[in-house]
């Protein structure tokens, strides 16, 4: 009882530090194998600076988080895990941003955005889209999934040039809601929780514009979630689950855009 109360108070204090959802970081991750995660996209601003992650879902659409629009991404880099090795002619693709029409701000839901590539990405051994879930299916609790990004690797550390990946487990939604409520945060609808709960693996938010936000939560080969937010604060002790936008709940909106080749 005391222990639970203590944990709750601690969580509340940490949560008070803020729910700033711009940057985030992969902690305790490893370099992603070069031949895997060929769908990863780095969202970059006009200056060619990495601002968010994203993932290719067709030859001309990338899926990411809507809050990434705040960092003004104008292009995506595809086909490399190493952001020091970007060939603008072959790897950089100009994009148009299409946040979900119901998105307002981070923490209130619908944190999902399509990026329309102005020209098609050639699919090859370095660039391949990832599949989305086929339909709305309940994700099992404790499923082993993977998340990747170019964000910071420790609290207030530096962004990395080489893609990092980490294994995370999904967390029961009710447990996750309780844990967040303890920090006086009500989770929005259409989210999945994973990592950051009784584990030292996951992603962390910082009030910075560089991070893992927008990257995919990959379970069983499909992109079931988009990195949305966790609490601001000490990322070395993330005791609240991380929150992802559930892609299967947005299939109708996504499919319509892909079919019309417009958004
Ligand atoms: C590549 O594109 C970025 C973003 O437009 C730009 O900042 C950078 O200077 C370009 N690099 C080269 C070598 O042209």
């Amino acid at each position: 009882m005391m222990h639970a109360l203590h944990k709750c108070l601690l969580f509340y204090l940490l949560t008070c530090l803020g729910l700033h959802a711009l940057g985030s970081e992969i902690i305790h991750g490893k370099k992603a194998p070069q031949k895997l995660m060929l769908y990863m996209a780095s969202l970059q601003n006009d200056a060619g600076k990495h601002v968010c992650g994203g993932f290719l879902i067709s030859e001309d659409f990338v899926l990411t988080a809507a809050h990434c629009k705040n960092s003004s991404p104008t292009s995506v880099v595809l086909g490399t895990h190493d952001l020091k090795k970007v060939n603008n002619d072959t790897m950089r693709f100009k994009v148009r941003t299409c946040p979900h029409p119901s998105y307002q701000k981070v923490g209130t839901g619908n944190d999902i955005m399509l990026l329309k590539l102005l020209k098609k990405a050639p699919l090859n051994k370095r660039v391949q889209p990832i599949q989305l879930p086929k339909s709305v299916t309940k994700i099992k609790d404790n499923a082993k999934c993977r998340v990747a990004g170019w964000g910071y690797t420790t609290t207030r550390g530096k962004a990395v040039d080489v893609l990092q990946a980490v294994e995370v487990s999904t967390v029961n939604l009710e447990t996750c809601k309780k844990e967040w409520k303890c920090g006086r945060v009500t989770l929005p609808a259409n989210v999945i929780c994973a990592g950051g709960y009784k584990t030292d693996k996951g992603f962390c938010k910082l009030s910075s514009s560089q991070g893992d936000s927008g990257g995919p939560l990959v379970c069983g080969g499909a992109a079931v979630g988009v990195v949305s937010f966790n609490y601001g604060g000490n990322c070395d002790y993330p005791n609240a689950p991380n929150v992802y936008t559930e892609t299967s709940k947005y299939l109708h909106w996504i499919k319509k855009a892909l079919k019309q080749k417009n958004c």
Side-chain angles (χ1 to χ4, degrees), residues 6-168:
H6 180 78
K7 219 180 121 204
C8 213
L9 283 172
L10 177 65
F11 176 75
Y12 176 59
L13 287 174
L14 289 170
T15 308
C16 274
L17 297 175
L19 184 76
H20 298 297
L22 277 171
S24 63
E25 65 184 54
I26 296 278
I27 49 169
H28 305 294
K30 287 203 187 91
K31 267 189 198 179
Q34 195 58 243
K35 284 177 189 158
L36 296 178
M37 309 192 131
L38 307 178
Y39 45 79
M40 281 302 296
S42 162
L43 275 57
Q44 303 199 347
N45 63 16
D46 260 342
K49 185 178 165 224
H50 170 85
V51 294
C52 266
F55 49 101
L56 195 69
I57 55 167
S58 76
E59 54 191 356
D60 52 358
F61 280 96
V62 161
L63 199 59
T64 184
H67 76 258
C68 290
K69 190 171 161 61
N70 298 349
S71 316
S72 310
T74 55
S75 67
V76 293
V77 167
L78 299 171
T80 182
H81 285 186
D82 187 346
L83 297 185
K84 276 210 194 97
K85 295 178 185 161
V86 177
N87 179 333
N88 281 351
D89 296 334
T90 57
M91 297 175 181
R92 187 179 300 279
F93 297 83
K94 286 237 154 59
V95 293
R96 193 154 48 78
T97 54
C98 310
H100 191 274
S102 304
Y103 173 75
Q104 289 178 320
K105 61 179 169 39
V106 80
T108 60
N110 307 307
D111 190 8
I112 191 165
M113 174 162 76
L114 281 163
L115 302 176
K116 171 74 169 67
L117 275 58
L118 302 192
K119 68 171 204 262
K120 283 180 186 171
L123 305 183
N124 54 44
K125 65 182 199 309
R126 292 182 152 265
V127 179
Q128 285 295 325
I130 185 169
Q131 66 178 48
L132 291 168
K134 300 262 177 283
S135 58
V136 181
T137 42
K138 200 186 165 317
I139 314 287
K140 284 204 188 81
D141 298 340
N142 257 315
K144 290 269 175 293
C145 303
R146 197 173 273 273
V147 59
W150 286 277
Y152 300 84
T153 53
T154 55
T155 305
R156 311 214 177 276
K158 281 194 171 147
V160 291
D161 290 316
V162 180
L163 185 67
Q164 309 283 308
V166 69
E167 260 193 19
V168 294

